[in-house]
Amino acid sequence: MKFFIFSQRSNSRRDALTSYKTQISVKNLKLTTLDYLPLAGIILLGAVLRFWHLDLKPLWLDEVITALFSLGRSYNDVPLDVFFPLSTVKEIFTFNQGATCPQIANTVATQSTHPPLFFCLMHGWLNWISPINASWVWKLRSLPALFGIAAIAVIYFLNRIAFSPTAGLLGAAFIAFSPFGVYLSQEARHYTLPILLISLALLGLILIQHNLKTQQYPKPFIWLGWVIVNSIGFYVHYFFSFSFIAQIITLIGLLYKSRIKNKISLFFLSFALCLLPFALFIPWLSVLKGHMGSSETNWLPQSPSIAPLYQTIAGWLLMAIALPIESQPLEIAILNALLMVVFGSWLGWHFFKGIKKLWNTPTTHLATFTLASFILWVHLEFLAIIYLLGKDITVASRYNFVYYPAACALLGASLWKLKVKRQKVKKGKKDFTVYFIIFLVSLLSCVCVVSNLAFQKPYNPQQVADNMNIQPAVPMMVVVGYNNSQDVALGLSFALALEKIRASVNTENTYFAFMHSAGGYQSVWEKLSQTQIPLKYPLNLWVVAPELKRTNYPQSLTFLSQSSCTIDPAQHYRVGIPYQLYRCR
């Protein structure tokens, strides 16, 4: 009798596992028409949001760096310590078809602080779409937008396999309509490609988790795909390593919780596979060491206080809502900030209710553990960098891309699991009020993003150009002090914005110059006094001087022609860096 009972239990358990595996392999992978149409609609709308006004915003410092390297150029193509006409900027940003990936990698290694793969891919992409009649800025941003669109589909399959088809649609919808996702997709930077790779890596981790749950060894092609995706990620962005470390720790937790046979041998196999991405990164390791000691990474401030904690919460908030706050009147900024906090609190309440139900449901517990563990360990890594290494990476919300895919997936799953109270709803019908509010607010936020009302470009090149162009008909010279390549990229972002608005007048009456200021700005003033002005008087001279205090700007500047330029106290601005107008007569 005991044997019979045990046999019955074993058969039941085996049947349950077989049913579970069948559900994963068949039901959760095959798309029906009812699945395809909503998913296609979500991807289509996500694509529209990402390509809408794609070239509206000006290129900012980081995007200028992307443009230089992706076009096959370098800082060696930028004239330094001499005046050059604004029309020369167009020549700097022309596509160099003869550049090769090894050449781009060498340029990135010596003139940047990033791995090379993204820039090589961008160069190939720009060459492929060169026949398209579109602005070069649109072309530059189009590939990151496509990566952002692809991530929508991956999140759908991640949640579909981990939870349910409905959870897949909700996760895909959230990342598609997330203002943070749209913002990153419209950046000519290497953020959406890591998001896509992290999404694929998490999909692989979920498949491994399902195999362990059914007491099966993970399939070789799953391991292989997981290793390949993570190995590629190391060469796309250095912060991808945070994602991989969080995956490894989560995998250890999954192995510990599993009841699979020969767990020790599987543990050592997993350990060996986890070493492969690190081993494949060894050829670039010496470059990474040099980049870590570069002065260009010193812009991250130290934050021994609690600032990183509320900045982290603000980063979470921006994934769901982004109302106009930047460059707005104080009253509007405060009102919008309050609305964002209220909405974020309401959404957070629903999110944690859903997470609690996911965690307490046996069929979704392990998948919830996988995503939550990943997010938790990434945040702990961030805190270690902030408080142990003294680099506050929370000041730039864009670095949240490391855990962003998991956050979108988990939010979608929590909304799926959440049982909304059905008040005044006919029997048999569901109340979609919560979904409607969330996605309506997200869509409105996306409109703000693409309209340049939210997530405005750092240093606001367009505003700087507008302020400098106070007298369009008057000749203009702009002097930018530089101490490193980032200062040069910043000046080029201003030059590009100026070239766009002064092209209707005459770019030949506008000159630019980068003056080395490593020894202090006194050397810049002396160099100007030995320079012949290339334009006729009267003219406006703007001096962009990073790290220079307003009181340290001289009252007048003299050129070789003995002409004097007098400071205009009413025309001093600061957008992260100061710039001052001198009127030359």
Side-chain angles (χ1 to χ4, degrees):
M1 178 64 69
K2 288 183 180 180
F3 174 79
F4 175 75
I5 294 174
F6 176 78
S7 176
Q8 287 292 99
R9 288 178 179 175
S10 299
N11 290 336
S12 298
R13 185 178 183 183
R14 200 160 40 243
D15 291 342
L17 290 177
T18 303
S19 175
Y20 182 79
K21 288 185 282 184
T22 302
Q23 178 185 10
I24 294 303
S25 60
V26 178
K27 180 181 176 182
N28 282 7
L29 291 180
K30 288 187 177 181
L31 287 177
T32 66
T33 303
L34 292 177
D35 299 320
Y36 173 77
L37 291 178
L39 177 61
I42 290 170
I43 293 175
L44 178 62
L45 187 52
V48 170
L49 291 172
R50 281 153 179 78
F51 278 94
W52 185 14
H53 288 167
L54 187 59
D55 57 354
L56 174 67
K57 299 181 183 181
L59 293 179
W60 71 287
L61 186 156
D62 282 10
E63 290 183 299
V64 167
I65 296 173
T66 298
L68 277 176
F69 300 148
S70 301
L71 290 168
R73 301 291 177 179
S74 70
Y75 288 111
N76 298 332
D77 295 304
V78 183
L80 299 178
D81 300 302
V82 295
F83 279 97
F84 58 90
L86 193 59
S87 57
T88 303
V89 175
K90 280 188 176 181
E91 300 174 11
I92 297 173
F93 292 95
T94 54
F95 184 69
N96 179 13
Q97 193 171 10
T100 64
C101 186
Q103 291 172 342
I104 293 173
N106 182 64
T107 301
V108 171
T110 56
Q111 298 188 0
S112 179
T113 55
H114 302 288
L117 184 56
F118 173 76
F119 304 101
C120 289
L121 290 175
M122 282 286 287
H123 183 77
W125 171 257
L126 292 172
N127 184 46
W128 187 68
I129 66 168
S130 57
I132 296 178
N133 185 22
S135 69
W136 70 274
V137 174
W138 186 94
K139 294 177 182 179
L140 193 70
R141 289 173 174 164
S142 59
L143 185 59
L146 289 174
F147 288 141
I149 295 168
I152 299 173
V154 177
I155 291 298
Y156 168 77
F157 284 104
L158 191 157
N159 265 19
R160 182 185 179 95
I161 294 171
F163 303 104
S164 76
T166 303
L169 289 174
L170 289 171
F174 186 79
I175 194 172
F177 310 146
S178 164
F180 182 72
V182 172
Y183 150 66
L184 290 184
S185 295
Q186 293 194 331
E187 284 271 293
R189 293 296 286 167
H190 46 345
Y191 300 129
T192 52
L193 179 54
I195 285 174
L196 175 60
L197 293 172
I198 291 169
S199 301
L200 289 169
L202 289 173
L203 176 58
L205 197 61
I206 286 293
L207 290 172
I208 292 172
Q209 172 252 306
H210 276 306
N211 284 145
L212 294 176
K213 185 175 182 178
T214 56
Q215 300 183 23
Q216 289 183 312
Y217 277 85
K219 303 293 189 297
F221 73 89
I222 295 177
W223 279 120
L224 180 62
W226 185 71
V227 169
I228 291 174
V229 166
N230 282 294
S231 300
I232 293 173
F234 273 65
Y235 282 95
V236 174
H237 200 291
Y238 289 140
F239 281 14
F240 193 94
S241 59
F242 302 151
S243 161
F244 187 57
I245 291 171
Q247 290 177 66
I248 292 174
I249 300 175
T250 300
L251 180 59
I252 292 172
L254 290 172
L255 289 171
Y256 176 78
K257 293 168 73 72
S258 72
R259 297 180 179 180
I260 195 170
K261 296 179 180 179
N262 299 323
K263 188 185 296 186
I264 299 298
S265 61
L266 181 58
F267 174 82
F268 282 108
L269 173 63
S270 303
F271 178 75
L273 291 171
C274 289
L275 290 178
L276 280 177
F278 292 111
L280 293 172
F281 192 68
I282 288 176
W284 193 261
L285 197 58
S286 60
V287 178
L288 170 61
K289 291 179 180 179
H291 287 173
M292 290 178 65
S294 173
S295 61
E296 295 182 7
T297 63
N298 293 335
W299 67 274
L300 289 170
Q302 293 186 357
S303 292
S305 63
I306 62 170
L309 301 180
Y310 63 74
Q311 286 168 178
T312 298
I313 297 174
W316 300 344
L317 195 60
L318 290 171
M319 294 180 185
I321 182 172
L323 299 179
I325 294 179
E326 305 156 287
S327 305
Q328 298 296 324
L330 182 61
E331 299 81 3
I332 295 178
I334 292 176
L335 176 62
N336 285 339
L338 289 175
L339 289 173
M340 289 175 65
V341 170
V342 171
F343 175 79
S345 302
W346 174 80
L347 179 59
W349 177 65
H350 284 287
F351 172 72
F352 284 110
K353 282 177 61 180
I355 288 297
K356 184 178 179 181
K357 292 183 178 181
L358 286 171
W359 187 268
N360 292 330
T361 302
T363 56
T364 59
H365 172 77
L366 270 183
T368 307
F369 167 82
T370 302
L371 296 175
S373 172
F374 173 81
I375 295 173
L376 173 64
W377 284 107
V378 170
H379 278 85
L380 291 176
E381 291 175 84
F382 278 18
L383 291 176
I385 293 171
I386 294 166
Y387 291 107
L388 298 181
L389 301 182
K391 301 286 186 180
D392 184 7
I393 57 178
T394 63
V395 297
S397 62
R398 57 186 179 272
Y399 294 138
N400 292 335
F401 77 84
V402 178
Y403 65 89
Y404 175 64
C408 292
L410 205 53
L411 180 58
S414 68
L415 294 177
W416 159 70
K417 196 64 176 178
L418 185 65
K419 293 183 179 179
V420 183
K421 292 182 179 179
R422 301 175 183 177
Q423 297 178 352
K424 299 181 180 180
V425 180
K426 292 182 180 180
K427 187 177 180 180
K429 293 186 178 181
K430 295 182 179 180
D431 184 0
F432 294 103
T433 305
V434 173
Y435 301 157
F436 177 78
I437 293 174
I438 292 172
F439 293 122
L440 177 61
V441 171
S442 296
L443 282 171
L444 290 175
S445 298
C446 289
V447 173
C448 292
V449 172
V450 300
S451 302
N452 202 23
L453 296 174
F455 281 114
Q456 294 181 348
K457 299 298 184 182
Y459 303 107
N460 210 329
Q462 190 60 56
Q463 179 186 332
V464 173
D466 290 338
N467 290 338
M468 288 182 174
N469 196 42
I470 53 174
Q471 294 176 298
V474 176
M476 179 196 303
M477 294 196 309
V478 180
V479 174
V480 179
Y482 74 94
N483 189 31
N484 53 44
S485 58
Q486 288 192 332
D487 292 335
V488 175
L490 178 64
L492 286 173
S493 70
F494 297 157
L496 286 169
L498 266 175
E499 192 273 336
K500 187 175 181 180
I501 63 176
R502 288 182 73 86
S504 58
V505 184
N506 182 12
T507 56
E508 296 302 322
N509 73 347
T510 307
Y511 273 70
F512 232 82
F514 293 97
M515 298 292 180
H516 199 228
S517 60
Y521 280 93
Q522 185 58 41
S523 61
V524 174
W525 315 141
E526 293 176 357
K527 190 174 295 185
L528 289 177
S529 67
Q530 302 169 9
T531 302
Q532 183 70 42
I533 290 183
L535 296 171
K536 295 181 180 179
Y537 295 98
L539 60 86
N540 292 331
L541 169 66
W542 287 93
V543 178
V544 182
E547 300 181 1
L548 186 67
K549 295 181 179 178
R550 181 174 185 175
T551 54
N552 291 337
Y553 274 95
Q555 293 301 304
S556 62
L557 294 172
T558 304
F559 288 87
L560 189 61
S561 59
Q562 301 300 316
S563 300
S564 179
C565 299
T566 306
I567 194 170
D568 185 345
Q571 297 295 326
H572 180 88
Y573 302 91
R574 176 179 286 274
V575 283
I577 52 92
Y579 55 105
Q580 172 68 58
L581 172 63
Y582 288 82
R583 299 188 182 274
C584 306
R585 306 297 179 193

